[in-house]
Amino acid sequence: MNALTDLTDLTGRTAVVTGASSGLGSRFAEVLADAGATVYAAARRLDRLEALAASPRTSGAIRPVACDVADPADCKALVARVLAETGRVDVLVNNAGASGPARVEDETEDDLERVLAINLRGPFLLAKHAGEAMCAAGSGSIVNVASILALVSAAPVGGVGYAASKGAVVAMTRELAGQWGRHGVRVNALVPGWFRTEMNDALFADETSARWVDRSTMLRRPGQVAELDGALLFLGSDASSYMTGQTLVVDGGWTAR
């Protein structure tokens, strides 16, 4: 290995990735496994996680766990299982997310509560449970996946509940970093722009909205999922050892306009 690969080597470490059954989450699990980590891939769709774990690429490094991050008991049980089996949590990637109706007129209280439970309460509880072990160990990295909607409006798409939840994730990231920095635990937010994922299928299936994304992005295209690999590995590894409380935006220039 050279100096750079030493910094991003996760051999012997344990990572947890939520929302790992599709899209960014499944890719994140693969990237961390490729870097040498034992990865607990968590989501509600266990069949998809098992298929991910069976992939020759991951060489048995991914362990599937059924988990609904909207359920506080599931959040606690996930971290407890990881600690029981490996004795450590080195990296937590809070990636699971959900969206609601785009128009506030169509968004109900139930919609808001569901989005907040998945996008905010779940990451808070997982960070709380994992952070306790990380603080005791004196090290650890938490990566909270937010959104450009935490920083700017993307009306007419997005949704008030979704934007509010992701804005809160950025604020939570900053506060956790402030509280846990003295224990050697780093907390940062990864903020993707428009990427072709299952959640955004409808956006890119519509020719008008797809052109809108291209036109409004400096690089004139949406991102490919692999273009987040470097940012995730940077935040999750020792390559970012002096970085905490920060928001890393990977959006093709969308928010810089």
Side-chain angles (χ1 to χ4, degrees), residues 196-209:
R196 293 184 178 274
T197 64
E198 186 176 298
M199 183 179 287
N200 290 326
D201 276 349
L203 177 74
F204 290 111
D206 181 80
E207 185 177 345
T208 299
S209 58

Side-chain angles (χ1 to χ4, degrees), residues 115-130:
V115 169
L116 290 176
I118 296 171
N119 294 2
L120 181 59
R121 187 181 67 194
F124 165 76
L125 291 173
L126 287 165
K128 182 178 174 68
H129 298 316

Side-chain angles (χ1 to χ4, degrees), residues 185-201:
V185 177
R186 300 182 298 105
V187 189
N188 292 289
L190 175 59
V191 179
W194 299 110
F195 283 78
R196 293 184 178 274
T197 64
E198 186 176 298
M199 183 179 287
N200 290 326
D201 276 349

Side-chain angles (χ1 to χ4, degrees), residues 2 12 38 49 57 67 91 122 129 137 145 151 164 195-196 223 253:
N2 57 38
T38 296
L49 297 175
R57 170 179 173 176
C67 176
V91 183
H129 298 316
V145 180
L151 308 176
F195 283 78
R196 293 184 178 274

Side-chain angles (χ1 to χ4, degrees), residues 11-197:
T11 300
R13 301 190 193 184
T14 300
V16 177
V17 180
T18 64
S21 61
S22 66
L24 302 183
S26 60
R27 180 73 183 195
F28 290 165
E30 290 176 331
V31 169
L32 296 176
D34 285 345
T38 296
V39 181
Y40 284 77
R44 290 177 298 172
R45 296 176 292 189
L46 184 59
D47 57 332
R48 292 197 178 191
L49 297 175
E50 290 172 340
L52 178 67
S55 168
R57 170 179 173 176
T58 57
S59 303
I62 293 181
R63 302 181 183 182
V65 183
C67 176
D68 181 355
V69 300
D71 184 342
D74 273 15
C75 293
K76 186 174 183 178
L78 172 60
V79 176
R81 173 178 168 180
V82 175
L83 291 173
E85 293 182 1
T86 70
R88 59 193 298 159
V89 181
D90 299 290
V91 183
L92 168 64
V93 182
N94 275 317
N95 169 73
S99 60
R103 285 166 33 95
V104 67
E105 293 86 353
D106 301 324
E107 195 163 16
T108 67
E109 289 183 30
D110 287 343
D111 291 326
L112 178 63
E113 289 178 3
R114 178 182 64 86
V115 169
L116 290 176
I118 296 171
N119 294 2
L120 181 59
R121 187 181 67 194
F124 165 76
L125 291 173
L126 287 165
K128 182 178 174 68
H129 298 316
E132 182 179 355
M134 290 178 174
C135 288
S139 66
S141 175
I142 296 176
V143 181
N144 293 320
V145 180
S147 164
I148 54 173
L149 272 68
L151 308 176
V152 297
S153 172
V157 302
V160 173
Y162 182 81
S165 69
K166 292 302 186 179
V169 164
V170 170
M172 180 180 73
T173 295
R174 185 171 54 246
E175 183 61 22
L176 289 176
Q179 293 194 22
W180 290 343
R182 65 184 184 276
H183 299 296
V185 177
R186 300 182 298 105
V187 189
N188 292 289
L190 175 59
V191 179
W194 299 110
F195 283 78
R196 293 184 178 274
T197 64

